[in-house]
Every structure is written in C-alpha cells, then in structure tokens.
Amino acid sequence: MQFSKVHTDIIPLVGGVDMVTTPILINPGKCIFANNFEPDINGGYRRMRGIERFDGRPRPSSATYQVIDCIITGPLVVGDTIIGSISNATAKVAYINGPTNMIVTDATGSFTVESFKVGATEYGAISHVTSEGSMTNQQHALYKNASSDLYRSLILPVPGSGPGRGVKYYKGNVYAFRDNIDATACVMHKATSSGWVVVQFGRELRFDGAVGEILEGQIVTGLTSGATGVVKRALLRTGTWTVAGVGTLVFDSITGVFQDNEAVQVGGSTKVTANGADSAITLLPGGKFEFDIVNFQGNVEASRMYCADGVNKVGEFDGERWVPIRTGVGSDNPKFVVGHNKQIICSIESEIVVSGIGAPYSFTALTGAAQIATGETITGLKTQVGNADSGVLVIATERKIYMLYGNDLTDYKLVAHSPDSGAVAYTLQNIGFAHYFDINGLTQLMASQAYGSFQSHILTQAVQPYIDDKSGKVVASSIVRNQNLYRIYFNDGSGLNIQIKPNSNSNSPSIGDIMPFDYGSRVMFMVDSAVDMSGKERKYGACSDGYVYEIDVGTSFDGDPINAFLILAFNHS
C-alpha cells in the first residue's frame, strides 16, 4: 500500500494584527485579532508579562514558601503569623492543607521540630519543614499563588482619593502623587520597605527689592518679626541680586513667622524685602504630572527632577525638598516640562517659557530667558538629536508639530514641521526619534514631514478600526526599551503594543507588529519608563484605582489571570 507524501510548512508568527485586509488575503502568521500578546524583539509573538501593585514592599511574584508538616491545634487562619517556640523564627500562613500541613511565606529565621504560637498562644507543633521545589507542578503553582496573594494583600494604594496623579523613578526611589482624601491638595509619597510615606514639603518666603545676594546655607532673619530660617534654595526669578531682584527663599522649617514688607537680613545686613508672610509649600489637586530629570552642574549626583502637572507651578525635587519655580507668565501652571540646552523649557497653554541658561530659577532676558508663542494648545515637548551647532526641540500641539532650532534666545527659530498633523496630549515619546498619536493613529516625526496630513503618514493602518473605536480615549503612553515597543493606553484599560523597527531610511516609516492588550478595569493614568541604577528597565503606572503598578513583572494582572489569545487567519475566515 502506498501512502501519500507528507508535506510540512513552517509558518512564522509575524506581522501582528491586521484588521483591514480581507482575511483570506492576509499573509500566513498574521492575526485577525489578538489580546495580551506582544511582538517579541527576537521574532514571533509572546504573551505579555504581568503587572503587580507596588509600594516598595517585596513583589508578590518574588514570594517564596515553605511546606510545614505539623499538628494544628488552634484556630489557625491564612494571614496569621506563627512563631517557633524554640527558634523564634516567624512566618505568615499562606495556605492550610487540613490539620496536618500548612504553607508559610515571608519567613525569618529557620523553624525546627518545635511547637509554634500565634501571639502568646500555642497553636500546634511542627514535625518537618520542606523548602519550595520538592512537590508536583500543580502543588507548586498552588502554593506559589497563595504566597503571592498574601504578599499582594499587604501592598496598599497611594493614600488619598481619585486616580494616581503621577509616578516617577528617581535616584533609586519611586515617588507617587495623589490627591488627599478630601481632594483639597495633592500629596507626594515615597515608596519604602514599609509602604508609602509622605514627602514633607518645607516653607517659602517670596521677596523683592534685593540689594544683596543670599546663598544656600545662610541663616536669614526678619528685622521686624525676628523669624529665622536656614535657606535651602535661593531663587532669583528676575532682576539681579543688587538691582530690583525678585524671587523666593525656600526653607525646610522656619522659627517664627516672617512679616510682609520687612527687611530680611543675613548677619545684620539687609539683603531683600519680604513680599508677604512665609507660607507652607503645597500642591493643588487635580493635575497630571510630567517629569524630566536634568543635570545643570555636570556632577552625577546633581541631577534634579523637574515636574509639571498643568495645575501647579513647575516643581524641582532633589530627593529631599520640593522647590516651586515661578515663571511669572500667565496662570503659571505649566503642563509639560523638559530640560533642553542647559535650560528648563515648559509650556503654559500655547506658550513656551524658557529659563535662563544654566539657571532654572531665572526667567529674565538678563540670563537668556525667553517666551515663544505657538498659537496652539501645546500637547508635548521632547528633545531630539541635533547637530554640533544647534539643538532641536519638538513642540507638539493639537493641530501642528513645531521644531525649535537653536541654542538660546539669540538664535532660537520656531519652524512648523508638520502644519497639518497634531499630537494627542501625553503621547509624545522618543524611540530613536519622536513618535506620537494623532487623532488617526501613531505617527513618526519623519513620516509626518514626508506625508503631511494624508492618511499614508499613519503607521497603524493595520488596526485602524480598533483605533477608530478608541477615538478620544487616549490617556497615556510609554516605551519599552528592551522590546522596541511604543505603548498607548486608553481610558477603558485597553491599549496597543506597537513595535518600532530600525530602518536605514530615516524618511520612511519603520513600524513593526501591532497587538492589543487589556488590563481590565485598571486604567493607567500616567506611566513612567526608566532605567534604574543597576541598568535594568523599570516601568510604573499611576492607576485610576490609586495603586501604583509595576509593569511587565510577574505572571498575572495583579492576581487576575491574563486572558491572552491569538486568532490567526485561516482559509475560510
């Protein structure tokens, strides 16, 4: 008997999701839909990694466990902390297998054959302890999950109300912002090994009529009030220290209360005149933070975090204190901020405000400060690679893209790069060069110059029906460096993984595979992607539920299963 010859074909999974081509014409390996998969930088698709709530405590996915054979005599429940009567070892109960076996996690010390207590009461006796690993795969998964759930239950949202307003990795720490419980102020928190702690702000004293310079570290005294304080920051906004200087002094604390219009002295010599009483530094609620880390001094340790949220003044943070920076322009509530050419550049509605050169506190022409009007509401700022003679700053607005060429006030030149292609706020990201979402999808900076406002400049045409369905829902974006991904987040918890491929032609689109994802009810209000001090990429999301989530860690969506699937094209589809 002759058997028919077996033919085999290898079909690489490549091309991502294609929602616009007639299914029968789609290339093999492409999907007609997918969920919670992403393009792999090494080729093919892979299920997305998980997300986990974060507050500085250990990750749930890092939980380990021990299996304890024992006799349980007390009313033991999951979450109890047991204490060895001889070893004084402690652990939390993650799972109970009847009266003779329990799973514990978060152990300190080593249990032996001994009785154990909960509090001061004996709850049973331990006969044998086994470290994780020596059990079936099903048991391991069950015990690992139970231990992770216990870790997860200890991690809390950022205290307050409403969504997370911002999150940023800076100098080895993670900082988060959220409105207080009464929504009367926004509060900054720091993640620690015991959870979120409030970052305490100091006090400030505004001054004018400067006749002498005040330096950081000097003690100032109010001539009338007798109030005193050690100056931590001396900000000169306009004028000079000897002629009509106007600015702010920042203190960690003040003894007494400075009075309006009194002379402020150093060592008995008047330096400035108080412009009002000193006041506590606070943040108004309701903003959405953008950050840039800038170093004006060259010293590695001198980098500072600059923050804008569209509600408050630009803030500078050095890991210890928050310094409000006044520009003196309009409502003075910049929405975006970036360090560029040794200057701080921020946007207030349709206007670009530029600080002095190497002087982030100064907004006077004497130090090279400038104001540049665009005539459009600004939606993002990103520095681009310039050349030996000139820097380049992308200024995105709702309807146009501008390029700011030059180095300072003497040679700045604002050019309309894409007069008919705008960017949605919070979507401007650098992957090689600028990428941003407009109302129709993802655009590359070079592509928009080449193709203007025509549909051909949109790089996400393959999923256009999906993008049309999400119109007006964009809330945030981020990049994934080690996968060359641009991520866009929508206000229903969904989003897109968009692969950016290198291309030798800088004027040609270089889009890769595109695949949707869905975090469910968790809406990432703002996402930070940073490289930590060990060189690893970290991603954190400030979420609508008040939690901060670490992104691309673990194997679940914060304990929920990852609903991941691929639907490939097939002959009769």
Side-chain angles (χ1 to χ4, degrees), residues 491-518:
N491 64 9
D492 58 2
S494 65
L496 287 172
N497 288 304
I498 305 171
Q499 188 180 50
I500 307 298
K501 291 183 175 180
N503 194 315
S504 58
N505 182 357
S506 62
N507 287 312
S508 176
S510 55
I511 199 74
D513 301 347
I514 307 169
M515 309 191 84
F517 66 89
D518 192 347

Side-chain angles (χ1 to χ4, degrees), residues 99-348:
T100 60
N101 183 269
M102 63 179 168
I103 312 304
V104 298
T105 188
D106 195 20
T108 60
S110 300
F111 290 100
T112 185
V113 177
E114 59 185 327
S115 61
F116 67 90
K117 302 178 291 183
V118 174
T121 305
E122 186 172 307
Y123 267 51
I126 297 170
S127 59
H128 187 258
V129 180
T130 305
S131 297
E132 81 174 62
S134 54
M135 62 272 313
T136 68
N137 289 338
Q138 184 176 9
Q139 286 175 321
H140 173 70
L142 176 64
Y143 301 157
K144 178 77 171 179
N145 186 62
S147 301
S148 296
D149 284 345
L150 193 59
Y151 273 49
R152 188 175 294 109
S153 68
L154 302 176
I155 297 173
L156 301 177
V158 182
S161 63
R165 296 294 174 182
V167 60
K168 185 64 180 174
Y169 177 92
Y170 171 61
K171 287 187 176 180
N173 294 300
V174 176
Y175 297 91
F177 297 79
R178 195 181 185 198
D179 294 348
N180 64 14
I181 195 68
D182 297 319
T184 56
C186 184
V187 181
M188 184 180 189
H189 297 79
K190 177 182 176 180
T192 72
S193 58
S194 56
W196 296 109
V197 297
V198 173
V199 176
Q200 299 294 338
F201 290 178
R203 301 186 69 81
E204 64 176 350
L205 175 66
R206 299 175 67 181
F207 67 81
D208 52 25
V211 294
E213 185 173 7
I214 296 175
L215 303 176
E216 293 180 13
Q218 290 184 326
I219 299 174
V220 297
T221 304
L223 181 60
T224 304
S225 65
T228 63
V230 178
V231 176
K232 297 299 183 179
R233 292 286 183 274
L235 291 70
L236 183 69
R237 179 170 62 83
T238 63
T240 71
W241 280 110
T242 55
V243 180
V246 175
T248 310
L249 302 178
V250 174
F251 308 84
D252 288 347
S253 62
I254 290 173
T255 301
V257 178
F258 286 97
Q259 296 180 13
D260 183 27
N261 211 35
E262 72 172 325
V264 179
Q265 299 184 327
V266 175
S269 175
T270 297
K271 301 293 185 178
V272 299
T273 301
N275 182 9
D278 62 90
S279 59
I281 297 172
T282 59
L283 296 175
L284 295 171
K288 181 174 181 175
F289 279 90
E290 287 277 297
F291 307 92
D292 199 15
I293 296 174
V294 187
N295 192 331
F296 285 100
Q297 300 179 33
N299 181 340
V300 174
E301 298 299 319
S303 65
R304 293 177 181 175
M305 182 169 76
Y306 293 87
C307 321
D309 71 343
V311 174
N312 293 281
K313 296 169 179 61
V314 168
E316 178 196 77
F317 185 68
D318 65 356
E320 294 184 21
R321 61 188 54 85
W322 183 274
V323 178
I325 299 176
R326 290 175 168 80
T327 68
V329 176
S331 54
D332 207 359
N333 55 347
K335 194 171 185 176
F336 300 96
V337 63
V338 66
H340 181 70
N341 285 346
K342 298 182 180 180
Q343 297 171 299
I344 286 296
I345 299 182
C346 57
S347 67
I348 301 175

